[in-house]
Amino acid sequence: MERRDFLKKTGVAAAAVASTSVAAPAVWAKGKTFSWKMVTTWPPNLPVLQTGAERFAKRVEEASGGRIKIQVFAGGELVPALGTFDAVADGTVEAGSGASYYWAGKVPAAQWFSAVPFGFNAQGINAWFYSGGGLKLWEEVYAPFNVIPRPQGNTGVQMGGWFRKEMNTIEDYKGLKMRIPGLGGKVVAKAGGTVILKAGAEIFTNLERGVIDATEWVGPLHDLRMGFYKAAKYYYYPGWHEPGTCLEVIFNKKAYESLPKDLQAILDAVAMETNMWSLSEFDARNGEALEELITKHKVKLVRFPEPLLEDLRKLAKETLEEEASKDAMSKKVHEAFKSFKKRVGTWGSVSENAYYNVIADKYSLKG
Ligand code: CA
């Protein structure tokens, strides 16, 4: 095909490309299709998390008119779930989906971009990413690994977890065996608890047999599916340890940069769209599941006492300072996080927080 015919057929204005020679490669790339693979950290069919990654792929294909096709593999199907970051970094696959705290062992500063105890809620972390420099910083943290991150979902505030005994004061954490990963687990350990990490499939049995006294998971939607209400009596809130966990989509830098600009823009836009969809799904479906837990399964819903939360908050602050002092990048991210949180927190206290307090009575569980 002659170049001129090709341009005519693909509907590209010849004048626009003739004006500059550097525009030509992008024009030729426009006719190309890309077949990508995406691996995730989630089990097959896990609602909103795995299905969210699949939705992302489907929407990218729709928005690009089929120019990018992304085949999605759940955790373990192509590479081990926790091998996702490495598989994207070394180019085994073009994309991955998970949460940044899974990479804390390799990239300590990554922890600040998923869940920080007593840190941002979903609205706050999105403000930090999109309008407060957070995403730029996250890109900087992943850059040495040739990985590009984008926020791709948010669980909203998680639940505090399922406990076989009542939690009245910070002393109740002494000797408590709890399944709680990440920074939250470090806080529980500081309070005198023993953190026991179990694979998802083993948690229920361990809780039922008393091998662990407590576990956190996600929120009502996912917790209901795990059947924890059959093994522990008390369902505590709020999830101080994961107040707005951000989920990520990551791209191999070379693969991302080999795409024409419009396809890069589609990936970015669909990631942002999926971020919004995910939080909406969590809010809507958690509400429904919570109702079922309370009315059908007679779950005892308990709020952590205020003084206990205050004590956990102090321990969380110490934990974060310790983690931040371990390397220069963590320190940089932690300082940026704190300074944005202060600004957003002041505004939040006179906007969302004040408003929630006004309407709290209407939605109070006490009736
Ligand atoms: Ca969790």
Side-chain angles (χ1 to χ4, degrees):
M1 193 192 297
E2 290 291 318
R3 176 178 156 86
R4 184 186 307 212
D5 289 338
F6 173 79
L7 291 176
K8 233 185 251 166
K9 283 199 170 82
T10 51
V12 176
V17 291
S19 63
T20 158
S21 59
V22 293
V27 170
W28 293 114
K30 276 199 169 184
K32 264 180 85 172
T33 58
F34 298 83
S35 286
W36 279 21
K37 289 188 175 72
M38 175 195 256
V39 294
T40 82
T41 57
W42 318 117
N45 305 317
L46 190 66
V48 200
L49 303 163
Q50 179 64 18
T51 60
E54 283 157 10
R55 183 183 188 277
F56 172 83
K58 187 172 161 266
R59 293 285 293 151
V60 165
E61 188 173 336
E62 284 170 1
S64 68
R67 287 157 64 215
I68 317 187
K69 287 189 166 56
I70 305 178
Q71 199 183 352
V72 183
F73 298 87
E77 286 180 353
L78 195 63
V79 302
L82 297 182
T84 296
F85 189 88
D86 286 344
V88 174
D90 67 22
T92 303
V93 293
E94 291 82 4
S97 181
S100 66
Y101 52 27
Y102 290 136
W103 328 127
K106 190 186 187 82
V107 195
Q111 298 179 94
W112 277 265
F113 303 105
S114 48
V116 169
F118 297 95
F120 292 127
N121 63 2
Q123 194 170 346
I125 203 166
N126 283 333
W128 188 46
F129 283 139
Y130 299 128
S131 305
L135 180 54
K136 276 240 159 338
L137 210 49
W138 194 4
E139 287 173 340
E140 195 181 324
V141 169
Y142 280 7
F145 305 92
N146 295 315
V147 171
I148 297 174
R150 296 284 179 262
Q152 191 214 18
N154 198 299
T155 66
V157 183
Q158 298 198 2
M159 284 297 284
W162 299 83
F163 292 74
R164 286 163 63 93
K165 63 166 194 171
E166 269 185 82
M167 300 299 285
N168 297 313
T169 72
I170 195 78
E171 296 297 314
D172 291 325
Y173 277 97
K174 291 215 164 75
L176 183 92
K177 297 189 290 292
M178 182 167 185
R179 181 258 169 213
I180 174 170
L183 290 166
K186 289 187 169 123
V187 175
V188 165
K190 221 180 221 306
T194 305
V195 174
I196 299 177
L197 295 179
K198 297 277 174 195
E202 295 168 33
I203 304 172
F204 177 80
T205 315
N206 278 277
L207 187 64
E208 195 184 31
R209 293 182 185 164
V211 177
I212 52 174
D213 307 307
T215 185
E216 72 82 56
W217 187 236
V218 190
L221 170 68
H222 292 83
D223 294 13
L224 174 64
R225 281 165 54 97
M226 294 290 267
F228 293 138
Y229 61 88
K230 290 179 235 163
K233 201 168 159 192
Y234 305 99
Y235 195 22
Y236 273 89
Y237 71 96
W240 55 271
H241 61 298
E242 296 198 57
T245 303
C246 174
L247 315 170
E248 66 180 11
V249 58
I250 49 177
F251 305 117
N252 174 274
K253 187 166 182 276
K254 212 174 134 196
Y256 181 90
E257 286 176 353
S258 73
L259 297 175
K261 293 275 180 230
D262 64 329
L263 292 186
Q264 290 179 6
I266 284 172
L267 289 181
D268 293 354
V270 175
M272 204 167 177
E273 182 215 49
T274 311
N275 192 16
M276 168 57 91
W277 171 84
S278 159
L279 182 62
S280 307
E281 280 287 296
F282 271 110
D283 279 337
R285 296 177 68 185
N286 271 335
E288 210 175 275
L290 183 64
E291 207 173 298
E292 184 176 335
L293 282 167
I294 297 171
T295 54
K296 190 169 163 199
H297 302 297
K298 311 292 176 208
V299 163
K300 201 166 162 46
L301 202 59
V302 202
R303 191 185 193 280
F304 284 120
E306 204 61 51
L308 185 151
L309 284 173
E310 208 37 58
D311 287 337
L312 286 172
R313 193 182 175 131
K314 280 182 206 135
L315 296 177
K317 203 174 165 195
E318 284 173 33
T319 305
L320 285 165
E321 293 299 332
E322 281 164 23
E323 290 297 306
S325 69
K326 287 181 180 169
D327 69 287
M329 188 48 99
S330 293
K331 178 96 187 141
K332 183 176 171 178
V333 173
H334 181 51
E335 292 306 318
F337 185 97
K338 273 197 298 192
S339 111
F340 191 74
K341 185 165 167 267
K342 191 161 180 276
R343 209 186 319 155
V344 128
T346 310
W347 164 236
S349 65
V350 300
S351 58
E352 303 296 331
N353 189 40
Y355 178 67
Y356 265 55
N357 284 337
V358 168
I359 61 167
D361 281 349
K362 193 173 167 189
Y363 297 111
S364 170
L365 290 160
K366 290 175 200 140

